[in-house]
Amino acid sequence: MPAFIKFVIVGIGATALHYGIYFILQHFINVNVAYTAGYVLSFIANFYLTAYFTFGQKPSLLRAIGFGGAHLCNYLIHIGLLNLFLALGVTKTLAPIPVFAIAIPANFVMVRFVFKGKRQ
């Protein structure tokens, strides 16, 4: 199975986890905090699934740092877009949906580089 298909499978799971946590927490706490909590928990699951399932490699400290760096950039894009969509009047329940649609494809390129480098 191609890495991109595996990435999509892992990404759907991580995104569902992220949104599920956000959806529950946004009723009780600030949306940015809820979004960040969901992001962090899905990040941890995503790292291990990406390493083992998507790229068939053992997680390492170096990969965790690279993955974290890619996801830090991705998180800043996510939180900026979330606040943009909220400012545009999208409800806090639906605002993450367009964020995911925009930010996730860009994240694949960054994460793939962390795990595969310039080899492919």
Side-chain angles (χ1 to χ4, degrees):
M1 185 179 320
F4 181 75
I5 300 300
K6 291 179 180 181
F7 177 84
V8 169
I9 293 167
V10 169
I12 288 170
T15 302
L17 177 64
H18 181 185
Y19 184 76
I21 292 166
Y22 167 82
F23 182 80
I24 293 167
L25 292 179
Q26 56 103 11
H27 295 291
F28 306 104
I29 60 177
N30 175 278
V31 294
N32 288 309
V33 175
Y35 197 86
T36 300
Y39 194 93
V40 168
L41 293 174
S42 73
F43 166 82
I44 294 166
N46 193 353
F47 173 68
Y48 285 100
L49 289 171
T50 297
Y52 285 119
F53 178 69
T54 304
F55 296 108
Q57 299 177 358
K58 287 182 77 172
S60 69
L61 180 59
L62 186 60
R63 287 190 180 110
I65 292 168
F67 194 80
H71 273 271
L72 177 59
C73 294
N74 193 42
Y75 169 77
L76 294 173
I77 293 167
H78 273 250
I79 206 73
L81 288 171
L82 176 69
N83 284 285
L84 172 66
F85 287 116
L86 290 170
L88 292 173
V90 178
T91 67
K92 64 182 183 177
T93 302
L94 295 178
I97 305 303
V99 173
F100 296 143
I102 294 168
I104 290 173
N107 191 45
F108 172 74
V109 174
M110 291 186 288
V111 169
R112 186 176 184 283
F113 182 78
V114 169
F115 280 92
K116 292 292 187 178
K118 296 179 183 176
R119 291 179 286 176
Q120 293 182 356

